[in-house]
Each structure stands twice: as structure tokens, then as C-alpha cells.
Amino acid sequence: MLYGVYEEPTTVAATDIGVLMCYPLGHEYMRSHFAFRRIASMLAKQGIHSMRFDYYGTGDSSGESREMSISRIFEDIRIAVEEFTEISRVTHVSLLGLRFGGLAAGLFPAGKMKIDSVILWDPVVEGAAYLAEMRALHSELSNHPFYVPRGFCDPLEENGKEELIGYRYPTDFLKELSTMSSLEVSACSADNVYIYGSEERPFYQSLRDHFQKHNKLRDYQVIRDAGDWSDLLQADQRLMPSGIPQAILSSALAKKEVRR
Amino acid sequence: MRERVVTFGEDKRLVGILCEPDTDQKVSSAPAIIFLNSGLLHHVGPSRLYVELARDISCHGFVSIRFDLGGLGDSLPAMQAKPDMEQILLDAKHAMDEAERKFNIKEYVLVGLCTGAANAHRIAVADVRVVGVCGLSGYAYPTLRFNVYRYGPILLNRKRLWQATVRAWKRFVPTPGKDAAAVNRENTGWWRLPPKDDFVFECKKLFERGVRIFAVFTGGDSYYLYENQLMDTLSSLHPGDKLQEKYNRTADHTYTSVKQRKLLVEQVRLWLTAGFGSSENV
């Protein structure tokens, strides 16, 4: 069972546009919950439908993180798109992905599904680099006196699992994640890609150049905003962005037509 | 185990997840467990703690609701919002009413971490239907023994004493460019303990009603330094087995470690089953 929240437009002039939101993983999911809700509310005021959902093993969905897999995540997105279009009757679906959600949204094998656009917010570009970042953060946390006040906390031993900042993942899942790249030539089934970064990073520039080369890039902006994903002191802080949600709203409105 | 989404309250603005055991596992006399938001985190709890707890205790016969107070998580704020605490009490009442409507349960145990623990205490004081409070890193007060543990090592070490004096000076004395109000704001954290006498009085009322309290603290709670510190504060009330404490010394404030979280889930489950379900010792 997957948990999701559908938000219908709060204006009379509803559109036939929908945005499906793909969360980050782990502690970043906790950080971003409010931000996604706020964006949903902004979209609703502009007549845009939205849905945010928890992957299997996260949030309120069934299962545990130790059961996750990439194929399951893609299946979850597929189910979420189907559920979303059935409830909302939208004909234009965009995927909004933050961090790992951006990697998943960008690489989602849509098949016969029509995904109009992909909006990538501080996306993970290279799975291996992201994993290295998470491991470094976990190591820092494990040794920080605030988090381990009186001594080192030994992780629970479990074969085939690795613990990263509060969640245990299968090593196979992490191995597959480390091979993923948003720069895969054949990836991204959507024809329109929007990229928003909260800081300038070479990874985002590579992504921009990649989609520009394939004539899919519609917008690229670096807007100094809340993020700081590798900062341990931000790891448990609620994400409160101001500029990027506006940019996301503009990209979602690009296809706006009022539903009659 | 079965989980379903529920919406309740005025205009169905409050969102929660009902978690109920399989029919053959349900303990008919058990109270319903209500999970309260921890700070600004939504109803899954820090590192999904509330989800893990709810699913674990459902295997031992307990029904639970984890929900978002108005304005947090997936819940909408009230159209005519009342002052903070009054609104929290009202939202919690809606959650308890929902559990009663769905399961005909009239008694509740509140579980909360940090501000969730503080709210659990406040709601328990106000609502006689609450029969148990599980406060994770809730209220606690300095005792003589706490002060010895806290300040003894500093007083006995000249270097540390000097460093502490300098820190205290910088903290409490206004510096150029910083007015007294700003200094005071810096010194006032978001977590404010109520006056100790008020807290003791309220606990007295709770114990007289038969409310059971499980207070769990971590090494990340700088205001708690030894197991039974709260018992020492409340010793004049002679709570007996109505008050139980645990000190998870190597856990951080939000149980980031999977191992520590599993330990906490077990502790809470044992306390619930001993006090409200089938008998097992904590």
C-alpha cells in the first residue's frame, strides 16, 4: 500500500495540468515534507492539480527502507501517475523531483505513459557522488558529540544492509543507485526539462548542457535558496525555500489551459 | 494489521493514519494510542519513529492514530484558529473522538517526543480520558544530584572553570551592537520548562487520577543526567509504579540510530503491554 496526498485546485479556473511530486530519501524526506506541501498549495491556487506520495518503505507507505529497490521505486512512480491521472483527470502530467526524487523522475521509464515535463530541483545527478555525500554525512554524524553524546553507537549488524543517517538500505539497492546517472543518453522520457539549483554546482551545469544538447532544456536557474544538503547542522532542519517554489510554479504554468 | 487514512475535525481538516491490529490480536480493554507531532515534523515522527511504533504495538493488540495537528504535516489549520495551546487541545480532542467513533474506545495513551511530550502532558492534564502518557525527552528539572553531575567536574577543574566563566559572561552581558533584548532572545531557547511547582502539582493530579507516566530521556537531553531524575523531582508525590523512567544514554534526541530506535520501540511496547495490555515486565 502506498500513501499519497492529492490536492485539487482551489480556484474555479481549474486546469488540466498535474504535478506529481517525487520526494528525496531518508532524512532529506523529513526536511522537505513541508516544502512540498507549500508548493502543492501554491499550485492549487493557480488551478494546478498535484499529488505527493511516499515510496514503498518510506513515510506512511507499507514496508521498510531495508526492502527498497530502484525497480520498486519506478513501479511506485508508475502507480502514482496512474492513480493521479484517474483521480484528477489531468491530461498533462509533470514530475517534480527533489534530490533523489530528481534522479528518479529524470530516469523514470515512462514507456507508454505521457510525461510532459520533468522539473528537477537540486537533483542528484550522479548516484555514486550522492552516495559518497551521504556516507560522509553519516560518518560525521556518528562522531559528532551532539548526536552521540556519551560514546559511539555501534550500528545494528545485519547482513546485506547499510545504515545511512537513520535508515537501513539493502546493499544491492545502494549498489544500483551508485551506477545511476541523470546524464544517461537515452534517459528522460519527457520532452521538457526544467532545472533549479539552490547553489551553483558543476553537476547541475553538466545536466544543463546535456539536456540543452538534446534540445529538451526549457529553463535552468540557480537561485540562492535553502538547501545545504551536505551540512550536518542542516540535516534535521525544515527546508524553507522562497525563490525556487516560484520558479517551479512558473514551469508548471507553462502548459496552462483552463479546463472548460 | 490494517492502516487507513482518516480525516476528521471541523471541515475534515485534520489528517491521520489509523493503525489497527488483526481482529484476533486486538486487546479489547486496551486504550487507543495517540501520537503527537514532534516539533514541526509530520505524523511519521523523526526517522519514521511513530510509524515503527504504531506497527509494532499493533502486533500486541493496540489501536493507534498518528495525526497532524492543524497547520502541521498534511493537516490544515483551523479557519478560526484559537490561541496555540487551546487549539492543540481541541485538535487532540478531535483525534480522541475519532478513535472513540471508530472503535468505541474511551481511554487514551498519548505518545510524543520533545514538544510532543510537552503537549501530551498538557492534554493529559486537561482531558480525563487520558490514562497514560509516554513522554520522550519531555519535562525534567535539575535536582541536587543533577547539579553535582553537571557542575562538579567544572568546579574541580581550574581550566574548565575559567572557560565556563568566560562563556557565561559572553552569554549574559550585552556587547556593543547587541541590545539586552537580543541577548535575552538568544538565551531563550524554544523549549521552555513550566515552573516546577506547577508541573509537580499537575503530576499530582494525574497520579490521583491513576494516570501512568513513562518518561524516556536520551544522552542528547542536556537537562537530564541520570535515570530517575524525574522520580527525584516527584518523590514527594510517591508515584510508585505509576511513574517509570528510562535513560537511553547513547541515543541522540531524535533516535537517529536504527539500533537506538529499535530499543526505544521495545521499551515503549513493554511499558504499554505491562500497564494496559497483557502482562510483561518493563
Side-chain angles (χ1 to χ4, degrees):
Chain A
M1 185 198 72
L2 300 179
Y3 175 82
V5 179
Y6 164 65
E7 291 218 28
E8 59 182 356
T10 52
T11 173
V12 174
T15 67
D16 61 352
I17 303 170
V19 175
L20 180 73
M21 302 184 190
C22 301
Y23 277 113
L25 286 183
H27 71 287
E28 294 180 354
Y29 161 83
M30 297 302 300
R31 280 194 73 191
S32 56
H33 190 272
F34 178 75
F36 266 27
R37 178 191 152 162
R38 203 170 133 244
I39 289 170
S41 178
M42 289 167 72
L43 292 170
K45 285 178 186 154
Q46 297 295 327
I48 299 172
H49 306 252
S50 74
M51 188 162 108
R52 51 194 190 275
F53 73 102
D54 297 332
Y55 313 114
Y56 183 88
T58 73
D60 283 305
S61 290
S62 299
E64 300 173 40
S65 58
R66 48 202 288 280
E67 301 170 280
M68 292 179 78
S69 70
I70 298 295
S71 57
R72 192 158 216 168
I73 286 172
F74 285 148
E75 178 63 14
D76 293 343
I77 296 175
R78 187 189 65 75
I79 292 168
V81 170
E82 283 176 354
E83 183 75 11
F84 182 36
T85 47
E86 191 180 316
I87 296 171
S88 64
R89 299 281 180 224
V90 295
T91 53
H92 300 286
V93 174
S94 297
L95 299 182
L96 163 62
L98 170 60
R99 292 286 284 165
F100 169 82
L103 181 68
L107 294 176
F108 171 61
K112 291 198 175 112
M113 282 183 168
K114 179 81 176 73
I115 303 295
D116 272 20
S117 58
V118 165
I119 307 167
L120 308 177
W121 175 9
D122 279 347
V124 168
V125 178
E126 298 282 357
Y130 166 69
L131 213 45
E133 206 176 291
M134 291 299 106
R135 283 175 175 143
L137 203 56
H138 180 81
S139 176
E140 200 184 337
L141 181 148
S142 299
N143 292 289
H144 196 286
F146 178 78
Y147 287 95
V148 189
R150 300 287 186 272
F152 181 70
C153 180
D154 295 324
L156 201 62
E157 291 300 324
E158 192 180 350
N159 285 340
K161 306 287 182 291
E162 182 180 342
E163 185 169 329
L164 287 174
I165 315 168
Y167 301 86
R168 184 152 301 151
Y169 300 104
T171 45
D172 287 346
F173 167 66
L174 297 177
K175 227 179 264 177
E176 194 178 351
L177 173 56
S178 69
T179 64
M180 291 168 75
S181 169
S182 294
L183 300 172
E184 280 174 31
V185 173
S186 57
C188 196
S189 37
D191 291 329
N192 307 290
V193 178
Y194 302 80
I195 304 171
Y196 302 111
S198 62
E199 55 180 347
E200 193 67 74
R201 294 184 100 179
F203 278 130
Y204 300 158
Q205 290 163 359
S206 302
L207 202 59
R208 173 200 64 197
D209 297 341
H210 169 75
F211 284 116
Q212 214 156 38
K213 202 166 87 177
H214 291 88
N215 201 27
K216 291 190 176 192
L217 185 71
R218 301 292 169 251
D219 193 15
Y220 171 85
Q221 291 186 52
V222 173
I223 302 168
R224 193 72 188 102
D225 210 344
D228 300 311
W229 302 102
S230 349
D231 184 353
L232 179 63
L233 294 179
Q234 296 298 322
D236 60 356
Q237 298 298 309
R238 187 195 243 191
L239 190 69
M240 299 279 282
S242 50
I244 289 181
Q246 283 299 331
I248 290 170
L249 182 60
S250 300
S251 62
L253 284 170
K255 277 232 175 260
K256 182 173 179 177
E257 287 169 18
V258 175
R259 191 181 255 175
R260 302 196 192 285
Chain B
M1 181 204 70
R2 182 180 157 214
E3 286 184 323
R4 47 189 161 133
V5 179
V6 286
T7 53
F8 51 94
E10 323 92 38
D11 302 320
K12 302 281 189 190
R13 61 180 175 82
L14 299 173
V15 177
I17 309 286
L18 267 177
C19 183
E20 58 179 311
D22 294 331
T23 314
D24 57 344
Q25 286 181 314
K26 203 180 272 190
V27 175
S28 54
S29 56
I33 316 303
I34 312 284
F35 292 95
L36 301 169
N37 294 103
S38 167
L40 300 175
L41 299 178
H42 70 296
H43 59 263
V44 303
S47 303
R48 222 181 173 213
L49 172 64
Y50 292 172
V51 176
E52 293 174 7
L53 258 171
R55 291 175 182 174
D56 183 275
I57 61 177
S58 75
C59 298
H60 295 269
F62 292 94
V63 160
S64 68
I65 296 185
R66 51 187 190 273
F67 80 106
D68 293 314
L69 295 168
L72 296 181
D74 296 323
S75 292
L76 294 172
M79 290 294 283
Q80 309 274 346
K82 299 184 182 349
D84 284 354
M85 199 60 227
E86 207 179 316
Q87 192 59 55
I88 288 169
L89 289 173
L90 189 55
D91 288 355
K93 180 184 176 303
H94 286 314
M96 290 188 271
D97 291 346
E98 183 67 11
E100 180 170 352
R101 227 186 334 270
K102 289 276 191 306
F103 303 108
N104 199 29
I105 292 176
K106 298 183 198 300
E107 291 183 332
Y108 308 93
V109 170
L110 307 178
V111 179
L113 187 147
C114 195
T115 51
N119 287 338
H121 174 83
R122 299 255 73 81
I123 296 163
V125 168
D127 198 316
V128 297
R129 294 179 292 175
V130 177
V131 297
V133 172
C134 175
L136 311 175
S137 299
Y139 295 141
Y141 295 80
T143 60
L144 175 61
R145 193 167 151 192
F146 168 89
N147 287 329
V148 168
Y149 287 168
R150 175 75 180 85
Y151 300 110
I154 296 174
L155 293 171
L156 294 173
N157 182 306
R158 241 194 287 183
K159 185 180 173 188
R160 288 188 67 183
L161 180 60
W162 172 247
Q163 288 170 340
T165 306
V166 170
R167 275 199 305 272
W169 178 264
K170 283 183 182 169
R171 205 174 152 191
F172 291 105
V173 174
T175 52
K178 196 198 285 185
D179 61 22
V183 170
N184 190 50
R185 274 195 300 277
E186 281 175 2
N187 295 336
T188 306
W190 56 271
W191 174 261
R192 301 200 74 162
L193 285 176
K196 182 176 156 185
D197 289 346
D198 290 356
F199 176 72
V200 173
F201 178 75
E202 287 165 355
C203 286
K204 179 172 184 283
K205 293 293 166 200
L206 292 177
F207 293 138
E208 283 171 356
R209 258 172 46 199
V211 175
R212 304 174 80 89
I213 296 176
F214 186 36
V216 187
F217 298 89
T218 72
D221 303 325
S222 58
Y223 58 96
Y224 188 94
L225 288 179
Y226 65 96
E227 194 154 294
N228 293 324
Q229 181 175 321
L230 188 60
M231 183 66 89
D232 284 350
T233 299
L234 300 175
S235 58
S236 60
L237 304 181
H238 308 290
D241 66 354
K242 287 201 214 66
L243 172 63
Q244 291 190 305
E245 281 173 81
K246 273 283 184 235
Y247 182 30
N248 293 326
R249 205 169 153 278
T250 54
D252 67 280
H253 183 61
T254 54
Y255 295 89
T256 311
S257 151
V258 172
K259 182 179 180 181
Q260 290 294 340
R261 217 155 54 241
K262 276 177 101 77
L263 175 65
L264 175 68
V265 167
E266 190 183 340
Q267 290 168 346
V268 174
R269 181 219 309 142
L270 287 174
W271 175 74
L272 280 172
T273 50
F276 306 100
S278 61
S279 58
E280 277 180 88
N281 293 326
V282 177

